[in-house]
Amino acid sequence: MKVLYTAEALATGDGRNGRTRTTDGKIDAHLSTPKELGGNGEGTNPEQLFAAGYAACFHSALRLVGTKAKADMTDSAVGAKVGIGPNDKGGFQLAVTLEVSLPHLPLDQVRALADAAHQVCPYSNAVHGNIDVQVLVAED
């Protein structure tokens, strides 16, 4: 792969209860473990950051394939939910649900574009076979 861009970040402090910052300073976040995992939930957490990144990346992929297909991408949106829980090996794993909204298109076309975006999106390609990813189509 020819690398076109590299993002760089550093986490310091106490892991999930520390701080993360990109080298350019555009992200500088206080981290805290979610209440559901025994933390105070006051800061952001890695799952929220991953959800935000995946939603944005998938949305870009969706808009790319939609534009190529000359589809109406007006008011398009992608939501992401990232869950974390124990696996059967004593560690933890993630699960992702993406929800695609293309309100000006029929559902079958939205499904086809979502499936095509899932093949193009770098996040989807990175997690393929490692994380359970569900791609849902919003019906509203």
Side-chain angles (χ1 to χ4, degrees), residues 9-115:
L10 178 67
T12 57
D14 188 21
R16 288 181 163 274
N17 294 303
R19 178 179 168 203
T20 191
R21 183 178 190 278
T22 56
T23 54
D24 63 8
K26 291 183 179 177
I27 295 175
D28 189 352
H30 166 72
L31 301 172
S32 63
T33 301
K35 289 181 180 181
E36 297 83 351
L37 298 178
N40 65 24
E42 291 176 3
T44 191
N45 61 65
E47 292 72 36
Q48 289 175 326
L49 295 170
F50 189 72
Y54 204 158
C57 190
F58 198 91
H59 194 201
S60 288
L62 181 69
R63 292 188 62 80
L64 175 72
V65 299
T67 299
K68 284 184 179 180
K70 299 188 184 334
D72 183 355
M73 302 303 290
T74 306
D75 302 320
S76 64
V78 173
K81 295 179 182 177
V82 175
I84 185 171
N87 64 20
D88 58 0
K89 298 176 183 152
F92 292 87
Q93 68 187 57
L94 301 176
V96 174
T97 302
L98 300 171
E99 186 172 14
V100 174
S101 176
L102 291 167
H104 305 289
L105 296 177
L107 291 179
D108 60 335
Q109 188 177 12
V110 177
R111 168 53 52 202
L113 291 172
D115 290 345

